[in-house]
Amino acid sequence: MLKKYINMFREDMRYVMSRRCGLDELNNFIMLIGFIFVIIALFTHKWIFVLFGAIFVTLCYMRVFSTNIDKRKTENDVYMRYMGNVVRSADYIKLIVKMKIRSISDKEYVYFVCSSCKQVIRLPKGKNKVSVRCPKCGATFIKKT
Ligand SMILES: [Zn+2]
């Protein structure tokens, strides 16, 4: 008897959730931010962090149970694109730093990263200012060697 009700409840929940936004990547991120605020609040005993944490968690629940799926999906797409850019920029900066270190340790060559296609370009040192053409994408730029 009880099992029947639980199953009915489950079916209802599944039906309700199928028409809701649910947990997407953006919600996971919002939840994480809220969680971090709560952790900070635990250590600092400042009520303001509890408030921030509560705001983020509330925001997350509002998105989870939102019926405006299209709008929530658009928000998530923007977030995913933004996060993709963040990851790509971080990789690009890492590569530039790596090539700078390599340039310093290499006595004969200087290493550049093409700003448009991320191709690594090697140039002999001591040529002063030179116009460089990327062999991969054809972009040209002035570099000092
Ligand atoms: Zn290039």
Side-chain angles (χ1 to χ4, degrees):
M1 194 64 180
L2 185 68
K3 216 174 169 185
K4 195 180 150 198
Y5 278 110
I6 290 171
N7 278 337
M8 265 170 71
F9 177 71
R10 271 196 190 148
E11 284 303 313
D12 279 350
M13 275 308 281
R14 199 173 296 155
Y15 176 71
V16 166
M17 289 314 291
S18 69
R19 306 165 95 216
R20 298 291 191 277
C21 170
L23 275 172
D24 55 14
E25 290 84 357
L26 178 55
N27 271 340
N28 284 332
F29 182 71
I30 294 170
M31 205 54 152
L32 180 74
I33 300 283
F35 191 65
I36 290 168
F37 273 121
V38 171
I39 296 284
I40 295 171
L42 282 177
F43 283 100
T44 59
H45 300 287
K46 293 264 198 317
W47 65 271
I48 189 85
F49 292 116
V50 180
L51 184 71
F52 278 135
I55 288 169
F56 277 101
V57 171
T58 310
L59 190 69
C60 178
Y61 273 99
M62 276 165 68
R63 289 192 77 255
V64 165
F65 293 105
S66 170
T67 46
N68 195 345
I69 296 175
D70 289 341
K71 203 166 173 214
R72 299 293 86 81
K73 198 178 176 312
T74 311
E75 287 168 4
N76 194 54
D77 287 346
V78 169
Y79 163 76
M80 289 296 277
R81 209 175 313 138
Y82 180 73
M83 275 318 262
N85 286 342
V86 168
V87 170
R88 269 192 294 278
S89 321
D91 284 346
Y92 180 48
I93 291 164
K94 244 190 272 171
L95 188 63
I96 289 176
V97 171
K98 211 170 137 190
M99 288 309 130
K100 276 260 189 288
I101 295 166
R102 205 162 145 193
S103 300
I104 293 163
S105 58
D106 196 318
K107 281 183 176 62
E108 288 171 56
Y109 296 99
V110 182
Y111 298 86
F112 294 115
V113 182
C114 172
S115 53
S116 50
C117 73
K118 321 286 178 275
Q119 168 76 32
V120 173
I121 303 162
R122 194 181 69 167
L123 289 173
K125 270 187 180 176
K127 298 267 187 217
N128 235 334
K129 269 189 181 173
V130 284
S131 173
V132 186
R133 192 170 184 279
C134 173
K136 198 175 164 192
C137 72
T140 51
F141 39 91
I142 307 284
K143 282 285 174 195
K144 207 166 165 281
T145 63

